[in-house]
Amino acid sequence: MSENVADCGAHSRPQDWYYSAGKPNVASWTTSRFERIRAFGHRSRDARIERVFRRRYRSGATMPVEVPDTERAFHSLVGEWRAETQFASMGIQAFLHPSYQRIIGLGPRVIPMILGELQRQPEHWFWALAALTGENPVAPLEAGNVRAMTTAWLLWGQRRGYL
Amino acid sequence: MPHPWLERSFPGLRGTDYDVTSPATPDYNCIAWAAADSQQWWEPDPFHQYFWPANAPRSQRAESYLAAFATLGYEVCASSEVEAGFEKIALYANRDGIPTHMARQLHDGTWTSKLGPSVDIRHPSLESLEGAQYGRLLTVLRRRRANLRPLPAERTE
């Protein structure tokens, strides 16, 4: 392997520096990359990135190379979820659907997106909102009343500055 | 009139005399519709986010559904045929016995189902909804029409 790894002009994509064929494994590439930067003692842009990374992620973590487009991912998952649970009679089938779970997995940054969906139309986002916020603003007597539950969550969103 | 988008998920409807009887709405589900309630979504969720009769356990087991409908006067019966003086509901389950759907019998012996957050349909038989989506018929419940009780006002909390 050339020492001039970080400046390789033979490959257009960083992934190609270490993988000549097949689907790139970005996580492994990231780890390998830092190992190699350390080994070769580069004073390049990558070394600066590494220093920032080391400050931000103290140990053991892999630097997130690509910041996911959360909003695009969210809407894509919403579309999948709606299509695949349109006839799910029991809510639990819809709430445990992989796309719904992945939406929850996107974390609190999707709360305003979910509330935006609720503003457009009542829908069963209550399980996800409760999971993401640890709260349930719906009064016990309104449990199951989808319109009232929607209103309660939208008011909650306004109070919390999400809307 | 055939609805291909429905028949793709419910091939048993093909060639049968079924109708779409309501627009899609997330306001209620098949369990509520079996109980003739179109105002709320019934769900035995463990977090008490949804309505479930107070004295019925909150779990995905069929026993929870039987207990919920026992509070309305329903008991298991042997036949899905029309019986004078009784109204009937049906419970579907997947191969693990986990409930997937409910339907309610109409006066003429046909059945009405709310398909998740989608539409209500009238379908001629219970078999027409069996398949990959809802599994198979698990059991049929009935109650005397004279014994009709109002929806439970008592809540779980």
Side-chain angles (χ1 to χ4, degrees):
Chain A
M1 180 65 68
S2 163
E3 289 189 12
N4 199 24
V5 171
D7 301 320
C8 176
H11 303 92
S12 59
R13 300 185 312 159
Q15 292 94 324
D16 297 333
W17 296 346
Y18 302 108
Y19 293 89
S20 57
K23 189 175 180 181
N25 181 335
V26 175
S28 299
W29 165 70
T30 306
T31 304
S32 303
R33 184 183 184 205
F34 284 123
E35 292 302 322
R36 289 171 197 282
I37 287 171
R38 182 186 295 124
F40 298 129
H42 272 279
R43 295 286 183 268
S44 65
R45 182 188 62 179
D46 294 296
R48 289 198 299 276
I49 292 172
E50 183 188 16
R51 285 198 298 278
V52 171
F53 166 65
R54 295 299 179 202
R55 281 200 298 273
R56 189 171 296 175
Y57 304 92
R58 290 296 178 191
S59 65
T62 300
M63 189 180 83
V65 175
E66 297 176 32
V67 177
D69 185 340
T70 305
E71 194 157 351
R72 191 167 51 201
F74 172 78
H75 290 295
S76 172
L77 290 167
V78 168
E80 287 175 16
W81 176 66
R82 284 181 181 145
E84 294 175 19
T85 63
Q86 61 176 326
F87 300 126
S89 283
M90 311 304 184
I92 194 79
Q93 298 165 341
F95 309 147
L96 295 182
H97 187 275
S99 297
Y100 196 88
Q101 290 296 305
R102 286 179 64 195
I103 289 168
I104 295 173
L106 291 174
R109 57 192 162 175
V110 299
I111 292 172
M113 300 174 210
I114 292 177
L115 292 172
E117 292 296 318
L118 270 184
Q119 275 185 316
R120 277 186 279 280
Q121 58 181 12
E123 206 168 12
H124 292 274
W125 291 114
F126 317 117
W127 181 294
L129 285 169
L132 287 164
T133 65
E135 299 191 37
N136 181 13
V138 179
L141 283 173
E142 293 175 340
N145 182 331
V146 175
R147 304 285 161 163
M149 295 168 79
T150 298
T151 300
W153 274 107
L154 291 178
L155 289 173
W156 176 92
Q158 287 175 354
R159 284 197 305 272
R160 296 303 173 96
Y162 286 111
L163 296 173
Chain B
M1 186 178 77
H3 300 275
W5 59 280
L6 273 177
E7 295 174 8
R8 276 194 292 275
S9 291
F10 303 102
L13 290 173
R14 286 188 193 128
T16 68
D17 179 25
Y18 73 94
D19 302 312
V20 173
T21 53
S22 84
T25 172
D27 290 351
Y28 61 99
N29 61 347
C30 67
I31 315 171
W33 189 233
D37 179 4
S38 61
Q39 301 301 309
Q40 53 194 354
W41 188 280
W42 288 37
E43 185 83 30
D45 68 298
F47 306 123
H48 295 248
Q49 287 193 317
Y50 291 92
F51 174 77
W52 197 245
N55 297 324
R58 284 177 175 261
S59 87
Q60 297 305 312
R61 296 165 58 90
E63 289 78 4
S64 296
Y65 292 78
L66 300 183
F69 281 85
T71 67
L72 301 180
Y74 283 97
E75 57 187 12
V76 174
C77 67
S79 167
S80 62
E81 298 301 314
V82 174
E83 284 186 67
F86 288 93
E87 65 175 355
K88 295 189 175 183
I89 57 176
L91 180 64
Y92 294 73
N94 63 20
R95 66 180 67 181
D96 297 323
I98 304 299
T100 54
H101 182 65
M102 295 191 77
R104 174 162 48 89
Q105 193 174 51
L106 299 172
H107 288 280
D108 63 358
T110 61
W111 296 81
T112 180
S113 280
K114 174 73 160 60
L115 305 179
S118 187
V119 298
D120 298 350
I121 64 168
R122 184 192 61 80
H123 47 107
S125 71
L126 293 172
E127 291 75 19
S128 53
L129 288 188
E130 287 185 330
Q133 188 78 37
Y134 292 152
R136 301 184 67 83
L137 176 65
L138 180 68
T139 192
V140 178
L141 310 176
R142 71 176 186 180
R143 70 176 177 184
R144 287 192 179 279
R145 291 192 184 279
N147 285 348
L148 291 182
R149 297 177 190 172
L151 288 172
E154 186 183 8
R155 299 293 183 138
T156 54
E157 289 75 15

